[in-house]
């Protein structure tokens, strides 16, 4: 009897090791995920960096994510932020901005805008780094120029995703500028979270640092801030999940999978991260489930058994909507439903590559 129990225990260990090894080969971040967040653990954020942005502020993020952010930011900042004011390059800024402003969630519009933008970025008159920064700034600022609370914004986000993929496929340098701009306007696209350790640290500079915008000389409300967080994450997720046959994606689903694992491994369960997580899953969850299947379901299980309970444990500090969004996503199995607007994929495939 003792020998049988020993053999069963040994078999379980071998099976677990096999699972982790397989996960490390196919999904390296999931292997780490399985080790650091087991069903028996209480969900806790992992502090990965001691970097201080200012006294009293700590950063929660994976070191590899911070390194990538820093590299992109260095490249991005080599081009002055006010370059669009230059007489020499303001024409290109207007040209790129005009093209993006005309983008609509239709295949004809996507193809036309992508063609115009590729031509603008690939021209000889404007240096590539400047053209890429102007493109990234205008592309991401669509959150400000359009109404992110409008029901059609989801469809528009998918259209943006296709344009970003088609452009960066022809102009690969543009992707780092897009990611740098995403990271600049919304820290959760890194993903990272900045935590103020005390009341003194929660000053105006801190709120600017985490992405609050100014309106009429005052910081926007938390409600408007969260609307922007959701919009930026949706836009990022739309880009990540976009796939077109025959088109290489420099930052596709594999990066989205990595982002999701790092997000849950390192960021705390708070209202802002809950809204960001739901926004990402709502847009990219269908594609991730389709590609990763049972492995994706394990991540959803962690959200159900650890992330959501951590939110609930905070009581009235967390708005019920932040919890209900995630709970409903899991209960209603929204990841099985193709998001509205993703239909552009089949149309693009049929019209461009078949």
């Amino acid at each position: 009897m003792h020998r049988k129990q020993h053999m069963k225990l040994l078999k379980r260990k071998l099976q677990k090791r096999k699972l982790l090894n397989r996960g490390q080969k196919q999904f390296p971040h999931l292997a780490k995920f399985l080790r650091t967040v087991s069903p028996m653990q209480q969900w806790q954020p992992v502090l990965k960096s001691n970097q201080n942005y200012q006294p009293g502020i700590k950063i929660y993020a994976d070191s590899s994510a911070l390194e990538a952010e820093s590299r992109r930011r260095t490249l991005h900042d080599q081009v002055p932020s006010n370059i669009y004011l230059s007489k020499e390059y303001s024409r290109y800024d207007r040209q790129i901005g005009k093209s993006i402003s005309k983008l609509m969630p239709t295949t004809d519009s996507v193809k036309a805008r992508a063609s115009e933008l590729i031509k603008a970025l690939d021209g000889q008159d404007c240096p590539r780094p400047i053209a890429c920064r102007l493109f990234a700034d205008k592309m991401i600022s669509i959150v400000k120029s359009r109404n992110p609370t409008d029901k059609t914004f989801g469809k528009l986000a998918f259209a943006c995703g296709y344009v970003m993929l088609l452009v960066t496929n022809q102009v690969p340098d543009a992707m780092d500028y897009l990611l740098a701009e995403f990271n600049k306007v919304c820290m959760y696209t890194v993903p990272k979270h900045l935590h103020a350790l005390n009341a003194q640290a929660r000053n105006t500079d801190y709120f600017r640092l985490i992405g609050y915008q100014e309106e009429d000389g005052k910081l926007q409300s938390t409600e408007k801030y969260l609307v922007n967080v959701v919009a930026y994450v949706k836009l990022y997720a739309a880009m990540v999940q976009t796939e077109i046959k025959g088109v290489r994606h420099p930052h596709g689903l594999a990066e989205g999978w990595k982002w999701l694992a790092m997000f849950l491994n390192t960021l705390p369960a708070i209202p802002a991260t809950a809204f960001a997580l739901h926004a990402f899953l709502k847009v990219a969850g269908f594609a991730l489930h389709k590609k990763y299947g049972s492995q994706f379901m394990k991540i959803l299980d962690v959200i159900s058994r650890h992330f959501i309970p951590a939110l609930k444990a905070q009581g009235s500090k967390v708005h019920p909507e932040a919890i209900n969004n995630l709970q409903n996503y899991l209960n209603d199995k929204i990841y099985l439903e193709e998001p509205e607007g993703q239909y552009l994929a089949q149309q693009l495939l049929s019209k461009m590559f078949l």
Side-chain angles (χ1 to χ4, degrees):
M1 184 70 179
H2 177 72
R3 179 177 175 79
K4 286 183 179 180
Q5 289 177 338
H6 176 74
M7 291 302 292
K8 284 183 179 179
L9 182 61
L10 180 61
K11 186 177 180 180
R12 287 174 186 168
K13 287 183 177 180
L14 289 173
Q15 287 175 337
K16 183 177 180 182
R17 185 178 300 172
K18 184 179 180 180
L19 172 64
L20 288 174
N21 288 339
R22 184 168 68 247
Q24 195 163 18
K25 288 179 181 178
Q26 296 180 328
F27 318 107
H29 285 268
L30 179 62
K32 172 186 172 185
F33 189 88
L34 290 172
R35 290 193 186 98
T36 56
V37 186
S38 70
M40 298 302 294
Q41 287 179 308
Q42 181 180 359
W43 192 90
Q44 289 290 341
V46 181
L47 185 62
K48 284 290 184 180
S49 171
N50 291 324
Q51 179 182 358
N52 277 324
Y53 277 75
Q54 63 186 50
I57 293 179
K58 292 288 186 177
I59 178 171
Y60 287 80
D62 187 272
S63 58
S64 64
L66 293 177
E67 289 166 6
E69 179 197 19
S70 177
R71 175 180 58 79
R72 294 165 187 150
R73 177 62 67 87
T74 299
L75 179 69
H76 182 268
D77 289 350
Q78 287 177 359
V79 179
S81 60
N82 62 350
I83 192 68
Y84 65 93
L85 297 175
S86 165
K87 290 184 179 180
E88 188 176 2
Y89 302 118
S90 59
R91 176 167 63 91
Y92 297 99
D93 179 68
R94 291 193 299 272
Q95 180 183 348
I96 291 171
K98 182 179 180 180
S99 181
I100 292 174
S101 69
K102 294 189 293 182
L103 178 61
M104 299 295 290
T106 66
T107 51
D108 289 341
S109 180
V110 166
K111 291 194 313 185
R113 302 296 81 79
S115 179
E116 292 169 358
L117 291 166
I118 290 169
K119 185 177 180 180
L121 269 64
D122 214 20
Q124 301 297 318
D125 297 333
C126 185
R128 177 65 62 78
I130 293 177
C132 286
R133 167 134 194 191
L134 292 174
F135 164 68
D137 288 358
K138 294 297 183 183
M139 194 80 244
I140 308 306
S141 67
I142 204 164
V143 169
K144 294 181 179 179
S145 61
R146 307 288 182 98
N147 180 7
T149 61
D150 191 282
K151 292 182 179 180
T152 61
F153 184 79
K155 293 181 181 179
L156 179 65
F158 282 111
C160 290
Y162 288 112
V163 168
M164 287 187 275
L165 173 53
L166 291 170
V167 170
T168 56
N169 178 255
Q170 296 297 313
V171 189
D173 295 349
M175 181 54 76
D176 274 336
Y177 288 88
L178 281 171
L179 293 171
E181 190 63 25
F182 267 122
N183 297 167
K184 176 183 173 184
V185 298
C186 180
M187 61 183 175
Y188 297 119
T189 61
V190 175
K192 72 177 180 183
H193 174 70
L194 301 180
H195 175 62
L197 298 174
N198 50 57
Q200 186 177 359
R202 291 177 63 83
N203 53 33
T204 302
D205 289 338
Y206 166 73
F207 285 105
R208 288 198 188 102
L209 195 60
I210 65 174
Y212 275 69
Q213 303 295 315
E214 287 195 17
E215 298 176 347
D216 300 324
K218 297 180 180 180
L219 288 176
Q220 65 183 166
S221 66
T222 296
E223 182 180 358
K224 289 186 177 180
Y225 166 71
L226 291 175
V227 166
N228 285 346
V229 165
V230 167
Y232 285 125
V233 173
K234 280 184 176 180
L235 195 60
Y236 173 73
M239 179 189 74
V240 164
Q241 65 84 50
T242 299
E243 291 185 317
I244 301 175
K245 185 178 180 180
V247 177
R248 177 187 169 274
H249 201 321
H251 196 85
L253 274 176
E255 292 299 322
W257 179 258
K258 186 194 302 183
W259 179 94
L260 187 54
M262 289 191 295
F263 189 101
L264 291 169
N265 263 318
T266 59
L267 272 59
I270 59 173
T273 57
F275 279 109
L277 178 59
H278 175 255
F280 184 84
L281 291 172
K282 188 175 181 180
V283 174
F286 176 80
L288 287 170
H289 177 262
K290 188 175 179 181
K291 182 168 184 176
Y292 295 110
S294 62
Q295 302 295 342
F296 178 71
M297 296 304 295
K298 291 178 182 177
I299 283 190
L300 295 187
D301 184 61
V302 170
I303 294 172
S304 175
R305 300 176 65 179
H306 303 288
F307 191 90
I308 292 177
L311 286 172
K312 291 180 177 179
Q314 297 170 52
S316 59
K317 292 182 180 179
V318 178
H319 194 286
E321 185 182 356
I323 299 171
N324 293 338
N325 285 344
L326 288 172
Q327 197 72 68
N328 292 338
Y329 181 86
L330 299 177
N331 293 343
D332 298 340
K333 299 183 179 180
I334 304 299
Y335 50 86
L336 298 178
E337 302 174 9
E338 181 176 318
E340 189 177 7
Q342 201 189 37
Y343 68 91
L344 276 170
Q346 295 304 317
Q347 295 185 36
L348 283 170
L349 286 177
S350 62
K351 291 189 177 184
M352 299 177 69
F353 299 101
L354 296 182

